[in-house]
Amino acid sequence: MTRNRSLSVRSKKSHDSPAEKSAPKHRFTMASLRGMQQPELSKKLFKIIKSENHAIGAYESASRERISIASQISDWGEATGDDSISDISDKIGVLLSEIGEQEDLFAQNLEDYRSVLKQIRNTESSVQPSRDNKAKITDEIQKLKYKEPQSTKLVQLEQELVRAEAQNLVAEAQTRQKLKEAYDLHSAAVIERAEKQILLARHMRRLVQFLDDTPVVPGDVRPAFEHSAQARQVLNDAEEDLREWQPSFDPIASSATEMGSNLMPASVTGDSSTAEPSVVGGEDMAPAQLESPQEKREISGSTAVQGEGYQQQQQQQL
């Protein structure tokens, strides 16, 4: 609830509000076709990412509907001609509108989480050829050991197997780190939405308390509404509480910073420096890095699995 927000959501006799526009329908697109052509693991992630997109759209639609309902309840209260109902329903509408805004904020935070899932998908897609190559090399080694145990080709194949395993370890490390990052964002967004909406609901209950529902017998006149100032203060309190809200959950620890500059554990490589950008999936290993909206649209389906420097290092070790 931003400062200087209007203390009323009563409509200005306008019926062309964006809240009344219908949500876009889901259609088959080229992105759907790309998902069908990906490796099995990437295909499963593609389906998850697409489903999350539909869910985010539903939250955005719910936000628009909630804001529209807030305006409607306020207009109805005004039409009753009852001062107390008119005042309370209008202020309830303000809180309902803010609850709708929180739904929209939640959808935006989910989009950040979804962008990290895309990074995992890209990593899985780019490393799949290396996994297939590793399985092929392993099979060739087993056959050669059976047919020609003394063959010099065994040394070459074993070197290729070590390189393939190194590539897979790099991809696995980044997948684990990005998965933690994704659901760190997701769970934090759920908690923020829940706590803020609970806060708003509690203030709404304070407003409802001001409405006198004492039965009036015929001939008597209901007392005038005397809680306008207190009702306005409830909105001020709600605004203040939202502004002062702070996350109450513990951060999720990450060991990604314990990786060396070549994306291997620092305890193994002797490198105590923090991790440099990874080339797996073309993404950064830093746990808090997110794509910009422009970068989200420019993500390619496949990227390099490993830098040349790391491959040369592995060859020197062999």
Side-chain angles (χ1 to χ4, degrees):
M1 186 178 288
T2 58
R3 182 170 288 278
N4 298 325
R5 170 182 287 278
S6 172
L7 294 179
S8 174
V9 292
R10 200 148 283 164
S11 65
K12 307 302 181 183
K13 307 306 179 183
S14 174
H15 301 286
D16 55 352
S17 170
E20 297 177 2
K21 296 181 180 179
S22 59
K25 297 181 179 179
H26 308 303
R27 294 188 295 255
F28 182 84
T29 63
M30 291 301 296
S32 303
L33 184 59
R34 287 197 302 270
M36 297 177 185
Q37 298 172 340
Q38 295 181 8
E40 188 61 30
L41 284 177
S42 297
K43 190 183 298 183
K44 290 180 181 295
L45 275 170
F46 183 91
K47 186 176 180 180
I48 292 172
I49 291 166
K50 186 175 181 181
S51 297
E52 285 289 3
N53 190 43
H54 295 171
I56 290 170
Y59 285 117
E60 290 172 340
S61 178
S63 171
R64 292 191 295 268
E65 293 295 337
R66 180 57 58 197
I67 294 172
S68 175
I69 291 170
S71 179
Q72 293 174 43
I73 192 68
S74 178
D75 290 343
W76 169 82
E78 182 183 32
T80 63
D82 186 314
D83 291 342
S84 57
I85 291 179
S86 178
D87 194 300
I88 295 300
S89 67
D90 190 36
K91 290 176 173 55
I92 287 176
V94 172
L95 295 180
L96 285 175
S97 179
E98 187 60 38
I99 289 175
E101 295 289 350
Q102 293 302 320
E103 288 290 332
D104 187 62
L105 176 62
F106 179 58
Q108 295 175 32
N109 290 335
L110 286 185
E111 190 61 52
D112 292 337
Y113 140 79
R114 183 169 167 266
S115 73
V116 181
L117 291 184
K118 290 181 180 180
Q119 297 175 33
I120 300 174
R121 177 201 61 194
N122 294 342
T123 299
E124 291 295 321
S125 179
S126 61
V127 81
Q128 189 59 45
S130 176
R131 289 173 175 162
D132 295 339
N133 187 44
K134 176 186 173 183
K136 180 181 178 181
I137 294 172
T138 302
D139 188 52
E140 289 181 1
I141 289 175
Q142 293 301 321
K143 289 180 180 179
L144 201 58
K145 282 183 177 180
Y146 179 74
K147 294 181 178 180
E148 301 178 49
Q150 304 302 322
S151 175
T152 57
K153 190 178 179 181
L154 276 173
V155 177
Q156 177 185 351
L157 289 174
E158 288 172 350
Q159 290 175 350
E160 292 179 5
L161 180 61
V162 170
R163 284 194 291 270
E165 288 176 342
Q167 291 173 347
N168 291 337
L169 287 174
V170 170
E172 180 183 345
Q174 184 159 356
T175 295
R176 287 170 177 264
Q177 188 263 322
K178 289 297 181 182
L179 186 63
K180 290 183 71 173
E181 179 184 346
Y183 284 94
D184 182 4
L185 290 170
H186 187 287
S187 57
V190 171
I191 293 172
E192 178 179 357
R193 167 180 174 248
E195 290 186 351
K196 286 184 175 180
Q197 290 190 347
I198 288 172
L199 182 154
L200 291 165
R202 293 187 186 281
H203 286 295
M204 190 183 300
R205 293 178 68 84
R206 290 176 59 195
L207 281 175
V208 175
Q209 289 283 9
F210 295 136
L211 194 59
D212 183 11
D213 60 351
T214 304
V216 177
V217 299
D220 289 350
V221 178
R222 186 178 294 278
F225 185 61
E226 300 176 350
H227 301 287
S228 294
Q230 295 96 317
R232 181 180 292 268
Q233 184 59 43
V234 169
L235 296 186
N236 293 336
D237 292 345
E239 179 181 353
E240 186 72 17
D241 288 347
L242 282 178
R243 186 168 54 251
E244 295 180 353
W245 180 88
Q246 294 292 332
S248 60
F249 48 83
D250 296 328
I252 294 179
S254 173
S255 301
T257 54
E258 298 178 8
M259 301 181 72
S261 59
N262 60 359
L263 297 180
M264 296 297 284
S267 58
V268 174
T269 63
D271 187 352
S272 59
S273 62
T274 56
E276 295 179 355
S278 164
V279 292
V280 180
E283 304 297 342
D284 196 333
M285 286 293 294
Q289 293 294 324
L290 289 176
E291 304 160 326
S292 68
Q294 179 66 22
E295 291 171 332
K296 292 175 186 176
R297 293 191 293 268
E298 296 177 353
I299 292 178
S300 60
S302 61
T303 48
V305 174
Q306 187 179 25
E308 293 180 358
Y310 181 65
Q311 292 178 346
Q312 292 172 357
Q313 181 182 356
Q314 289 294 321
Q315 291 173 355
Q316 292 171 1
Q317 292 176 354
L318 292 171

